[in-house]
Amino acid sequence: MAYNHELAERIRAQFALLQPYTEKAMFGGIAFFVNGNMACGVSGDRLMARVGPGSYEEALARPGARPFDMTGRPMKGWVGVEAEGYASDQSLADWVGQAVAFAASLPPK
């Protein structure tokens, strides 16, 4: 599956402001890591954001957010965000910032 390269570039621009990171092609998309922990990624046109179990329900209430599911079972602590949820630069910055903060809170891998 191809992924939205424009969205990936927008995420890279956000990471450049926030935190050193690495990226890796995964599952036909691209994933962004902080200290070896996956923070977010792009699959198709969807943003995948790791918000953590404590923020999961609150994140699902935001525009465009859905349970993230790649295997038939939603992944707790992860949300998939449709284009309406990351359309503005500020909304994307909010998602990426939250994902980076959660990934940075985990022990380095």
Side-chain angles (χ1 to χ4, degrees), residues 1-2 4 8 11 15 19 21-22 25-26 33 41 54 58-59 61 63-64 67 73 80-81 87 94 96 98 106-107:
M1 167 192 277
N4 183 325
I11 292 170
F15 267 90
Q19 180 90 21
Y21 73 98
T22 56
M26 297 179 72
F33 295 79
E58 181 182 322
R73 291 179 27 197
V81 184
D94 291 345
V96 172
Q98 184 175 5
L106 300 171

Side-chain angles (χ1 to χ4, degrees), residues 37-104:
N37 295 296
M38 190 169 162
C40 62
V42 182
S43 178
D45 286 326
R46 187 171 44 170
L47 168 68
M48 305 173 296
R50 187 177 191 182
V51 297
S55 299
Y56 180 71
E57 294 298 328
E58 181 182 322
L60 285 176
R62 293 171 60 185
R66 309 280 182 269
F68 180 67
D69 176 359
M70 283 189 80
T71 63
R73 291 179 27 197
M75 294 173 62
K76 195 76 166 175
W78 283 86
V79 293
V81 184
E82 303 299 330
E84 69 187 75
Y86 62 77
S88 74
D89 289 339
Q90 184 60 55
S91 60
L92 181 63
D94 291 345
W95 281 114
V96 172
Q98 184 175 5
V100 166
F102 181 75

